[in-house]
Amino acid sequence: MKEYAIPMVPGPTTVPQIILEAMSKDYPSPDLEMEFLDLYNQTEEMLKRLYETNNRVVIHTGEGMMALWGALKSAIRPGDRVLALASGVFGYGIAEMAASIGAEVKIYGVEYDQTLKDWDEVEKAIQAFRPKMITAVHCETPSGTLNPLEMVGLLKQKYEVPLFYVDAVASLGGTPVKTDEWAIDLCLGGSQKVLSAPPLAAFVAVSPGAWDVIKQVGYVGYDALLPFYDAQEKFYFPYTPNWHGVAAIHQAVKMIFDEGLDVVFQRHETVASHCRSELESMGLKLFPARDAQPSPTVTAVYVPEKFSWSELDRRFREKGLATGGSYGPLAGKIFRLGHMGSQASMELVDKALKVIREVVTSS
């Protein structure tokens, strides 16, 4: 596989050497070694700090979609009502996932270049539908947007909705995720985005109320949350844990706290603001609408009219820059820069911007 001098795809992000080294220690049989259980427990406590929660955190072996599917299948049954708040590929996709499980799904949707903001309409949807679960995506990576979730949490509590399910895979670690304050019951994360670890682990912060529902549903597939309820207490995991993934997360979160959480958040904001300002100075049009909230972890930009996406991508890569396209209705229309985790670097972003300027200003 070709390596690029300027890696700016919005995940998986570049893995720092210190994380690769943390994965080199061998636990011959992790589900039998107390040393591994200690590492798992320590990693959970660190993730709880990152999530700003007192809730338990389950660490799955698998990519971020493991968390999305596992939390849905663990908490809803056919016929359960799910209100999906959607503003992009993943928001609408989660609605489709819930429907495939047999849930009765209602979508409150906005355009892909927008973020949630009409709270009166959201409240009306909750009042009328009375869902068992509300779903939302914090960072819509394919759109470069960040949905505010505090008001959703308040409405969830006001109408006593049992479950609030949030995809925070591309935001956790790069911007505040206030799990308890926002009343999130199932908060999903992944190792390959802001944490800059390989795509080996997914994790879910699970509230006490969510555990009650999970026990009632009783789902026990490979991606199930239920077997993790007492896995640490009994030291009996539902499958052999991937110690590489847990070790990688442990080191990744340690790096964030060593730098300082507020410092890390500010680094992401500063780099994102600089990136967008420079792109606009080149005459490029940012994708999210002016009244939408952009994400500090990824920037989406319209492909200039004189290029197809495939041609633009080819020219970038010839100069050592790897960016990302998008998906669904946005495929071929926008490209994305992932300034998250190890890639939230002013030096790296400036190198990327230099290449972009050279390409888009060429004849």
Side-chain angles (χ1 to χ4, degrees):
M1 183 180 294
K2 182 176 179 180
E3 292 187 13
Y4 291 92
I6 313 169
M8 291 297 295
V9 295
T13 49
T14 304
V15 182
Q17 184 62 33
I18 190 171
I19 292 178
L20 294 174
E21 291 171 358
M23 296 167 60
S24 66
K25 181 173 181 179
D26 191 17
Y27 294 84
S29 183
D31 48 352
L32 298 177
E33 303 293 335
M34 286 302 300
E35 190 176 359
F36 172 79
L37 181 61
D38 289 342
L39 176 69
Y40 186 102
N41 291 340
Q42 291 169 23
T43 304
E44 180 193 14
E45 290 302 315
M46 294 169 72
L47 284 169
K48 288 166 69 171
R49 288 178 59 197
L50 196 61
Y51 271 118
E52 297 191 38
T53 186
N54 291 314
N55 297 338
R56 298 264 308 282
V57 178
V58 169
I59 305 173
H60 277 298
T61 293
E63 192 269 342
M65 287 300 297
M66 168 80 84
L68 273 69
W69 274 114
L72 280 178
K73 289 189 284 186
S74 293
I76 58 174
R77 293 185 174 117
D80 285 341
R81 293 186 175 188
V82 174
L83 175 64
L85 308 181
S87 63
V89 169
F90 283 103
Y92 288 96
I94 290 168
E96 293 175 359
M97 291 162 65
S100 76
I101 297 170
E104 180 184 347
V105 178
K106 179 180 177 62
I107 298 174
Y108 171 81
V110 299
E111 296 296 328
Y112 283 49
D113 65 346
Q114 294 289 332
T115 45
L116 300 172
K117 58 179 178 290
D118 192 339
W119 303 117
D120 287 342
E121 290 301 312
V122 173
E123 182 168 11
K124 288 176 184 177
I126 295 172
Q127 279 183 299
F129 192 56
R130 294 289 177 174
K132 174 183 178 180
M133 174 187 284
I134 300 171
T135 68
V137 176
H138 195 204
C139 171
E140 270 287 0
T141 328
S143 307
T145 54
L146 189 78
N147 280 306
L149 298 179
E150 180 180 8
M151 185 58 71
V152 184
L154 292 173
L155 291 172
K156 178 257 184 189
Q157 293 176 92
K158 179 178 179 180
Y159 292 98
E160 298 181 342
V161 178
L163 298 172
F164 183 21
Y165 166 113
V166 171
D167 172 356
V169 171
S171 58
L172 185 68
T175 192
V177 176
K178 299 180 180 291
T179 303
D180 289 358
E181 184 177 325
W182 299 342
I184 301 172
D185 297 283
L186 294 160
C187 196
L188 324 174
S191 58
Q192 75 274 21
K193 297 288 189 177
V194 182
L195 299 193
S196 297
L200 295 174
F203 23 92
V204 187
V206 185
S207 74
W211 280 120
D212 290 341
V213 173
I214 288 164
K215 291 174 187 177
Q216 293 168 14
V217 172
Y219 173 66
V220 291
Y222 180 80
D223 54 357
L225 295 174
L226 182 59
F228 284 88
Y229 181 73
D230 54 7
Q232 291 151 272
E233 179 184 350
K234 295 181 177 179
F235 194 12
Y236 188 79
F237 290 95
Y239 47 75
T240 301
N242 186 323
W243 58 262
H244 293 89
V246 178
I249 298 168
H250 185 275
Q251 181 60 52
V253 181
K254 181 179 184 298
M255 290 171 65
I256 290 173
F257 287 122
D258 285 348
E259 183 178 351
L261 192 55
D262 289 340
V263 175
V264 171
F265 291 161
Q266 186 57 57
R267 170 163 59 85
H268 281 78
E269 289 285 354
T270 300
V271 170
S273 178
H274 172 72
C275 179
R276 292 176 182 127
S277 176
E278 290 298 306
L279 289 167
E280 288 188 303
S281 76
M282 301 176 201
L284 294 176
K285 182 182 178 183
L286 301 181
F287 173 71
R290 289 287 181 181
D291 59 346
Q293 185 171 330
S295 171
T297 59
V298 58
T299 289
V301 195
Y302 280 98
V303 173
E305 290 185 1
K306 66 179 180 177
F307 295 104
S308 66
W309 161 239
S310 59
E311 173 67 10
L312 187 67
D313 185 41
R314 182 184 66 78
R315 293 200 184 192
F316 285 165
R317 288 173 185 267
E318 285 175 350
K319 293 178 176 290
L321 170 62
T323 64
S326 195
Y327 309 99
L330 303 181
K333 298 178 181 179
I334 65 173
F335 69 96
R336 299 171 299 144
L337 298 167
H339 36 70
M340 59 178 74
S342 61
Q343 296 171 188
S345 157
M346 195 69 77
E347 179 182 2
L348 186 64
V349 168
D350 278 339
K351 289 179 180 178
L353 292 167
K354 182 175 184 292
V355 170
I356 294 170
R357 188 180 293 276
E358 290 173 356
V359 171
V360 301
T361 58
S362 64
S363 57

